[in-house]
């Protein structure tokens, strides 16, 4: 029905569409009674449950709905003020958002924790059970996806007009269980029971093209125009997730696309009697957002992955364009008002897609379009590992998105002309810098596409950015030094201290007030309290309670007893050779040898926790999990060991597990080979919760060390420079033979002590340690790691001193808030003005 007819119809029925009162509602109460009323109404009416319902799922849903209503009020205000002020905006494009649970964070940020707790308690329910019924939104692999989630929280808290764009995977990161010591992957159907936090917005669907071919013709002005025709289109339907700021009335948006089939059946198939085939084709369209690729820090190369990347880029840019056109005549101020931040190379096809839309859909010529693209795109690199750099076969590009390949060729041709002008005659440089890698199978280098198309390129820690400039991107740095900048990562102190560590939060609040939650450098005021005996006692008591909470989880999930008097020594992160979980396990074997040899004078009892997922196709990582489980079984069941040493492999490491783990850790293991970990953010969560780091000079560990000082950090290992120098004459077997403790560890491993019924099982691991070509140089750092561990163990015996270190770590963690990170992105890249949303007055 047209608008006109709608209007006529409305007039006929005696109502006035110009004067609708549909959304003029009184503000919702934020008090206990209002929340309790809404909760019960959702529980009894919307969900249709009664007092016989014993599951916590329905109370969770009812509470989520009650919270979402309050978010939506603020969400609308925020959206309206962004529209009305026509403010400059940033769009954060990421294939991953590792959000975790939303309930606690929403209660905290809305400032209704006490009201909700009281309401739930008075209804005879346990808030803890309700919280535990929420599934994690696991739409990411690890650090990169969690960073995106922390960024959104900080942008909303700083009232920056930033919108996240991602994919709504039907299946998130797989769930991991351990069977016979090995990882088994289970599908994570997190949407099975619905997602009360999302709001579907079918009215804003977009159409994304795939396949087909291009047609070139000349327009009336003699300009070559291109049509992309005979495509197989897929619909993108937005599902919006509210992102509340910390008690400031702002609610930003995370827009996640789900794929859907266009309703037109393939007519040819249909007429040929291929009805079922035509219906089945719907499936392949809906497959695009079915599953998250579970590879962390390594490329995958599957066609479906490239489809996902283009689907995100195309739908998101079209969505931005749609909104732009609603309130602007033309694109003259588009670059001034919009910025796209690319989270790694995954969405970097956006560079070509924005060109395509500006030219083919909005009639622009190349130069005008390129000026806009190259002043709106900004790129963040997340890794130095060559195996993680995305390259796509030109052949695949041509099949899947032929128009984009043409544009990339043109970008490359113009770019290489610039290179040739800059370095005349340097053909080797042209070959090195080309976006197209020539060879038997020509490839598109996605990082180079991002570098050429962006006005800003950043690394994620000081060392990482420096190494990018000196190594991986040296040619590009020489060409455009002004584009490069560093933005050290952070974590949000709302989730990673205030919400996950309520005991510590209360102590900090009564000591320095609660301003630290949005001004984390305030924590510095705790440093002087490290000298107070009373304060140290309170601090230690909280850590002990948190350790008891973790011990319960370890008992339930691993059936291992952790004594809270022991040192909790924790390494949780994706399993990867560069992160060197293996070095940690070698240390455990060394401690076991000492116990068996009676070398236990001045012993510090230790509970070692390792957790993390291995990419399903990464065989060595899976073998490392098997080794950890095997060593754990031996150590934990040997009566000679007792409480001196425990090892547990915690299954299914995820955001909600980290919320229990970080507050309980004494020692944080950050032991990657120097130069390999871009930043790390697990290191920051641990530090913030008062764990002391044992770590190498890698990623943000360096900046953590700078903040806390060498007395509050257990430093070991080769530096980046040492690592590269040593590679050329690396002789691990000589290192092992010279170190009796190391030799003993290797002998025990090699005797099949941990794999008595599976001989040869760990041979590849043993060979990698002994190989002169071991890229991770595990043997090189063994001795200094063991010595640093011994220092940590001795330090732990002086609890007064240890607690002092713990307090200093929290006190100096102010730099690692994503509020700081976002302020730096905004100052140097986005240049947004904060926009205050009008308050929702409580009823
Ligand atoms: C913080 C976090 C990570 C990143 O950990 P790193 O130690 O920096 O690799 C990965 N996964 C989850 C669930 C996290 O919370």
């Amino acid at each position: 029905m047209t608008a006109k007819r709608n209007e006529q119809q409305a007039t006929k029925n005696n109502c006035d569409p110009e004067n609708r009162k549909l959304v003029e509602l009184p503000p919702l109460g934020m008090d206990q009674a209002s929340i309790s009323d809404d909760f019960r109404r959702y529980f009894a009416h919307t969900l249709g449950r009664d007092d016989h319902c014993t599951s916590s799922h329905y109370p969770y849903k009812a509470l989520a709905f009650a919270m979402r209503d309050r978010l939506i009020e603020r969400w609308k205000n925020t959206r309206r003020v962004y529209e009305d002020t026509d403010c400059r905006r940033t769009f954060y494009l990421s294939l991953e958002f590792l959000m975790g649970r939303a309930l606690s964070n929403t209660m905290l940020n809305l400032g209704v924790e006490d009201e909700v707790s009281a309401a739930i308690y008075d209804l005879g329910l346990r808030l803890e059970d309700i919280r535990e019924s929420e599934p994690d939104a696991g739409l990411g692999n690890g650090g990169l996806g969690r960073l995106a989630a922390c960024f959104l929280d900080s942008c909303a808290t700083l009232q920056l007009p930033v919108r996240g764009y991602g994919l709504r995977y039907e299946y998130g990161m797989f769930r991991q269980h351990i069977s016979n010591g090995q990882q088994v992957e289970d599908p994570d159907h997190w949407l099975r029971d619905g997602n009360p936090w999302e709001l579907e917005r079918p009215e804003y669907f977009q159409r994304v093209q795939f396949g087909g071919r291009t047609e070139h013709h000349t327009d009336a002005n003699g300009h070559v125009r291109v049509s992309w025709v005979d495509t197989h289109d897929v619909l993108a339907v937005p599902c919006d997730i509210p992102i509340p700021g910390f008690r400031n009335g702002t609610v930003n948006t995370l827009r996640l696309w789900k794929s859907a089939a266009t309703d037109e059946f393939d007519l040819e198939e249909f007429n040929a009697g291929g009805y079922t085939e035509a219906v089945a084709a719907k499936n392949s369209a809906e497959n695009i957002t079915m599953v998250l690729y579970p590879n962390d820090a390594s490329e995958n190369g599957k066609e479906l992955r490239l489809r996902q990347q283009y689907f995100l880029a195309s739908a998101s840019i079209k969505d931005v364009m749609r909104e732009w056109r609603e309130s602007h005549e033309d694109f003259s101020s588009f670059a001034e008002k919009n910025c796209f931040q690319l989270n790694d190379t995954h969405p970097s096809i956006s560079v070509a897609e924005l060109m395509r839309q500006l030219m083919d859909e909005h009639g622009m010529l190349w130069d005008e379009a390129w000026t806009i693209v190259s002043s709106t795109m900004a790129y963040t690199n997340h890794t130095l590992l060559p195996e993680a750099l995305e390259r796509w076969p030109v052949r695949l590009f041509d099949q899947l998105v032929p128009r984009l390949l043409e544009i990339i060729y043109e970008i490359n041709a113009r770019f290489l002309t610039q290179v040739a002008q800059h370095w005349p005659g340097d053909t080797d440089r042209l070959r090195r810098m080309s976006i197209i890698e020539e060879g038997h199978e020509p490839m598109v280098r996605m990082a180079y596409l991002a570098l050429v198309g962006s006005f800003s390129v950043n690394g994620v820690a000081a060392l990482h950015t420096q190494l990018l400039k000196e190594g991986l991107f040296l040619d590009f740095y020489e060409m455009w030094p002004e584009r490069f900048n560093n933005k050290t990562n952070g974590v949000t102190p709302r989730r990673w201290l205030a919400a996950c560590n309520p005991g510590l939060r209360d102590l900090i609040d009564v000591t320095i007030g609660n301003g630290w939650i949005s001004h984390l450098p305030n924590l510095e005021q705790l440093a002087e309290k490290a000298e107070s005996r009373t304060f140290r006692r309170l601090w230690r008591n909280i850590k002990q309670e948190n350790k008891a909470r973790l011990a319960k989880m370890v008992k339930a999930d691993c059936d291992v007893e952790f004594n809270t008097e022991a040192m909790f020594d924790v390494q949780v992160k994706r399993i990867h050779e560069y992160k060197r979980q293996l070095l940690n396990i070698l240390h455990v074997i060394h401690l076991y040898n000492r116990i068996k040899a009676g070398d236990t004078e001045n012993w510090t009892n230790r509970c070692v926790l390792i957790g993390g997922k291995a990419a399903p196709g990464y065989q060595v990582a899976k073998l490392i999990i098997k080794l950890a489980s095997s060593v754990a079984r031996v150590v934990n069941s040997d009566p000679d060991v007792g409480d001196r040493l425990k090892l547990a492999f915690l299954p299914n490491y995820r955001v909600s597990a980290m919320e229990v783990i970080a507050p309980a850790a004494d020692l944080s293991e950050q032991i990657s080979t120097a130069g390999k970990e871009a930043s790390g953010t697990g290191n920051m969560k641990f530090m913030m919760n008062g764990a002391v780091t044992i770590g190498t000079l890698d990623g943000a560990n360096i900046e953590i060390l700078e903040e806390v000082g060498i007395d509050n950090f257990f430093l070991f290992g080769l530096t980046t420079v040492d690592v590269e120098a040593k590679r050329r004459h690396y002789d691990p077997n000589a290192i092992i033979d010279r170190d009796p403790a190391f030799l003993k560890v290797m002998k025990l491993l090699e005797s099949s002590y941990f794999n008595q019924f599976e001989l040869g099982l760990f041979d590849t691991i043993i060979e990698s340690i002994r190989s002169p070509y071991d890229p991770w140089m595990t043997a090189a750092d063994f001795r200094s790691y063991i010595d640093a561990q011994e220092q940590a163990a001795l330090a732990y015996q002086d609890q007064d001193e240890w607690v002092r270190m713990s307090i200093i770590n929290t006190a100096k963690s102010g730099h690692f808030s994503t509020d700081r990170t976002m302020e730096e992105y905004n100052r140097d890249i986005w240049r947004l003005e904060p926009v205050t949303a009008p308050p929702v007055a409580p009823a």
Side-chain angles (χ1 to χ4, degrees):
M1 203 184 284
T2 63
K4 187 123 200 109
R5 276 186 53 207
N6 252 325
E7 218 169 290
Q8 286 164 355
Q9 189 76 32
T11 324
K12 224 189 273 172
N13 295 342
N14 273 336
C15 67
D16 177 8
E18 289 297 301
N19 198 19
R20 280 199 186 158
K21 300 250 173 26
L22 220 51
V23 291
E24 275 182 27
L25 290 164
L28 296 169
M30 304 297 271
D31 56 298
Q32 181 187 336
S34 309
I35 292 169
S36 178
D37 286 350
D38 286 355
F39 171 83
R40 284 177 293 150
R41 199 164 35 75
Y42 280 120
F43 184 75
H45 294 163
T46 307
L47 300 170
R49 306 292 136 170
D50 60 24
D51 286 334
H52 297 297
C53 171
T54 52
S55 145
S56 290
H57 170 71
Y58 295 99
Y60 154 66
K61 258 196 160 159
L63 184 53
F65 285 142
M67 292 296 104
R68 196 184 77 170
D69 288 349
R70 286 151 176 86
L71 288 171
I72 285 181
E73 289 182 303
R74 289 156 184 80
W75 207 359
K76 288 180 174 164
N77 282 353
T78 306
R79 209 161 5 194
R80 195 168 324 119
V81 73
Y82 289 170
E83 273 168 30
D84 293 350
T85 55
D86 190 29
C87 54
R88 180 174 159 86
R89 293 195 192 200
T90 288
F91 305 100
Y92 194 81
L93 269 50
S94 178
L95 267 288
E96 302 187 14
F97 287 91
L98 189 47
M99 302 299 284
R101 293 174 174 156
L103 180 59
S104 298
N105 189 248
T106 303
M107 287 164 51
L108 171 69
N109 283 14
L110 285 178
V112 293
E113 295 167 295
D114 292 345
E115 292 77 2
V116 170
S117 301
I120 294 300
Y121 180 86
D122 283 0
L123 293 169
L125 295 165
R126 281 164 41 97
L127 186 54
E128 205 34 51
D129 296 340
I130 294 178
R131 286 190 162 120
E132 289 296 316
S133 328
E134 179 173 6
D136 276 40
L139 309 185
N141 273 282
L144 175 149
R146 185 54 232 174
L147 185 77
C150 286
F151 278 10
L152 294 182
D153 181 83
S154 283
C155 289
T157 294
L158 295 168
Q159 304 197 297
L160 297 176
V162 174
R163 179 188 299 163
Y165 277 110
L167 296 183
R168 180 182 177 276
Y169 302 106
E170 208 70 42
Y171 292 85
M173 188 60 207
F174 65 81
R175 280 179 301 147
Q176 175 198 57
H177 78 257
I178 304 297
S179 169
N180 186 30
Q182 277 162 329
Q183 165 172 300
V184 179
E185 300 96 23
D186 307 310
D188 167 43
H189 198 190
W190 71 294
L191 292 167
R192 193 190 54 193
D193 300 320
N195 177 8
W197 301 105
E198 75 181 11
L199 194 69
E200 193 179 319
R201 296 216 153 244
E203 66 273 35
Y204 296 136
F205 81 90
Q206 293 292 346
R207 182 177 273 265
V208 178
Q209 296 175 277
F210 287 101
R213 60 193 171 81
T214 58
E215 284 178 352
H216 296 237
H217 45 93
T218 308
D219 69 13
N221 300 317
H223 300 302
V224 175
R225 292 293 172 187
V226 182
S227 314
W228 185 8
V229 297
D230 292 346
T231 52
H232 298 275
D233 298 355
V234 179
L235 299 187
V237 181
C239 294
D240 288 356
I241 313 279
I243 308 292
F246 181 70
R247 303 184 185 177
N248 60 8
T250 290
V251 176
N252 281 342
T253 301
L254 168 59
R255 179 158 285 181
L256 300 177
W257 298 102
K258 73 172 171 189
S259 53
T262 54
D263 279 326
E264 313 139 16
F265 288 173
D266 186 325
L267 270 185
E268 235 167 278
E269 288 264 15
F270 194 77
N271 294 334
Y275 171 78
T276 39
E277 286 69 23
V279 177
K282 275 173 72 81
N283 244 322
S284 76
E286 278 161 6
N287 270 339
I288 293 182
T289 56
M290 190 59 72
V291 61
L292 165 77
Y293 277 97
N295 305 14
D296 186 66
S298 84
E299 62 160 347
N300 171 274
K302 290 285 201 313
E303 175 187 319
L304 182 57
R305 173 67 174 182
L306 181 55
R307 272 186 195 274
Q308 291 183 338
Q309 296 184 350
Y310 181 64
F311 184 74
L312 170 66
S314 184
S316 307
I317 294 172
K318 283 187 174 182
D319 193 52
V320 171
M321 294 293 200
R322 170 190 60 75
E323 256 185 271
W324 178 261
R325 297 279 292 213
E326 279 171 11
S327 49
H328 300 84
E329 295 281 298
D330 57 31
F331 289 94
S332 54
S333 60
F334 185 82
E336 193 185 299
K337 295 282 190 179
N338 296 286
C339 181
F340 295 91
Q341 188 73 42
L342 308 176
N343 196 21
D344 213 327
T345 55
H346 315 152
S348 61
I349 197 171
S350 301
V351 168
E353 174 64 6
L354 182 54
M355 283 301 286
R356 188 191 70 78
Q357 290 186 27
L358 289 172
M359 294 188 303
D360 299 358
E361 296 184 6
H362 301 286
M364 246 175 235
L365 297 178
W366 185 279
D367 289 333
E368 195 187 354
W370 185 251
T371 302
I372 290 179
V373 170
S374 56
S375 53
T376 52
M377 293 281 163
Y379 159 57
T380 304
N381 172 280
H382 284 270
T383 177
L384 293 155
L385 301 181
E387 62 267 32
L389 289 184
E390 291 191 303
R391 294 145 67 247
W392 292 106
V394 164
R395 187 183 37 78
L396 186 64
F397 242 89
D398 195 27
Q399 278 170 25
L400 214 60
V401 280
R403 177 60 184 137
L404 284 109
L405 183 62
E406 289 178 355
I407 292 171
I408 290 170
Y409 276 143
E410 181 69 22
I411 293 172
N412 197 38
R414 289 167 185 249
F415 164 62
L416 291 180
T417 306
Q418 269 184 286
V419 176
Q421 279 166 6
H422 210 290
W423 289 283
D426 194 343
T427 50
D428 193 53
R429 196 182 284 262
L430 281 174
R431 186 191 48 74
R432 287 201 310 265
M433 295 180 80
S434 174
I435 297 171
I436 307 295
E437 181 182 306
E438 296 299 343
H440 172 64
E441 166 93 89
M443 307 286 266
V444 184
R445 294 162 162 162
M446 299 308 276
Y448 292 6
L449 177 62
L451 283 162
V452 171
S454 301
F455 69 90
S456 162
V457 178
N458 75 281
V460 290
L463 173 70
H464 172 230
T465 302
Q466 182 201 330
L467 294 174
L468 282 180
K469 293 185 197 174
E470 292 171 355
L472 209 52
F473 296 157
L474 173 62
D475 288 327
F476 291 86
Y477 178 64
E478 286 178 346
M479 188 151 176
W480 296 308
E482 68 288 348
R483 287 192 191 181
F484 286 74
N485 62 94
N486 176 247
K487 296 288 167 282
T488 298
N489 283 165
V491 300
T492 170
R494 269 72 64 186
R495 181 176 298 262
W496 295 115
L497 185 51
C500 74
N501 198 341
L504 199 57
R505 170 191 174 186
D506 289 345
L507 176 60
I508 298 172
D509 283 353
V510 300
T511 310
I512 63 169
N514 65 9
W516 61 272
I517 300 179
S518 46
H519 299 279
L520 203 63
N522 284 9
L523 291 181
E524 182 89 46
Q525 298 164 42
L526 294 172
E528 61 184 66
K529 296 290 175 185
E531 300 312 316
S532 150
R533 277 178 81 82
T534 328
F535 189 78
R536 286 200 303 270
R537 188 173 45 76
L538 294 168
W539 190 275
R540 182 168 192 278
N541 289 345
I542 292 159
K543 182 63 84 180
Q544 291 303 114
E545 283 169 19
N546 293 336
K547 287 168 75 171
R549 180 164 65 136
L550 176 57
K552 237 169 114 179
M553 185 163 107
V554 169
K555 176 67 186 163
D557 295 353
C558 320
D559 198 25
V560 176
E561 306 270 357
F562 273 13
N563 185 332
T564 56
E565 291 301 315
M567 173 200 267
F568 278 21
D569 170 349
V570 184
Q571 185 177 27
V572 286
K573 46 183 75 245
R574 287 303 290 260
I575 310 292
H576 203 296
E577 289 163 280
Y578 86 80
K579 292 178 184 276
R580 294 200 298 194
Q581 281 90 0
L582 185 53
L583 185 58
N584 190 353
I585 298 168
L586 294 180
H587 172 243
V588 173
I589 298 174
H590 166 70
L591 292 181
Y592 179 69
N593 280 337
R594 282 186 54 193
I595 294 167
K596 294 301 273 186
D599 175 16
T600 55
E601 218 179 301
N602 247 329
W603 189 264
T604 302
N605 292 348
R606 202 190 273 256
C607 297
V608 180
L609 186 67
I610 301 178
K613 292 171 184 172
Y618 188 173
Q619 292 309 324
V620 179
K622 290 182 141 178
L623 196 56
I624 291 170
I625 293 177
K626 174 70 180 174
L627 178 63
S629 314
S630 305
V631 173
R633 190 173 35 75
V634 169
V635 167
N636 299 336
S637 61
D638 189 328
D640 295 346
V641 174
D643 261 359
R644 291 194 185 93
L645 180 63
K646 298 280 186 198
L647 172 61
F649 186 89
L650 184 84
N652 203 28
Y653 175 57
R654 61 201 184 282
V655 171
S656 59
M658 186 54 159
E659 289 167 5
V660 178
I661 296 165
D666 293 309
L667 191 63
S668 157
E669 299 271 351
Q670 309 299 336
I671 60 179
S672 52
T673 310
K676 301 299 173 190
E677 186 76 88
S679 164
T681 50
N683 48 3
M684 301 168 186
K685 299 167 200 165
F686 282 116
M687 176 202 197
M688 212 170 267
N689 285 278
V692 185
T693 305
I694 181 165
T696 48
L697 283 175
D698 201 14
N701 295 353
I702 296 172
E703 291 159 74
I704 290 175
L705 172 59
E706 277 169 14
E707 296 293 324
V708 300
I710 192 69
D711 293 342
N712 301 291
F713 190 109
F714 298 100
L715 178 66
F716 76 95
L718 300 177
T719 64
T720 311
V721 174
D722 296 339
V723 165
E724 294 317 317
K726 191 144 198 167
R727 263 191 216 295
R728 280 169 271 133
H729 44 88
Y730 179 47
D731 187 353
N733 292 306
I735 295 172
I736 293 164
D737 291 338
R738 265 189 273 115
D739 187 332
F742 198 176
L743 190 59
K744 212 171 157 186
V745 168
M746 293 305 290
K747 290 285 176 230
L748 196 64
L749 247 181
E750 285 161 349
S751 73
S752 301
Y753 191 80
F754 303 106
N755 51 305
Q756 293 190 0
F757 303 105
E758 293 165 285
L759 298 183
L761 183 62
F762 299 125
D763 287 0
T764 47
I765 287 182
I766 293 162
E767 282 160 24
S768 76
I769 300 169
R770 289 189 173 278
S771 166
Y773 306 105
D774 172 19
W776 323 113
M777 309 241 283
T778 304
D781 280 342
F782 177 84
R783 177 40 54 190
S784 80
Y785 180 55
I786 298 302
D787 291 345
Q789 285 284 20
E790 182 62 16
Q791 293 291 308
L794 289 176
Y796 195 75
Q797 295 189 354
D798 183 348
Q799 275 293 302
D800 243 21
E801 204 39 53
W802 187 273
V803 174
R804 204 175 269 128
M805 285 198 282
S806 170
I807 296 168
I808 295 297
N809 268 272
T810 301
K812 305 286 183 178
S813 66
H815 186 65
F816 302 103
S817 166
T818 34
D819 297 349
R820 187 268 314 152
T821 312
M822 292 297 86
E823 274 166 348
E824 290 181 5
Y825 272 82
N826 194 41
R827 181 193 67 203
D828 300 339
I829 307 172
W830 303 340
R831 303 181 336 271
L832 309 170
E833 295 293 337
V835 177
T836 308
V840 177

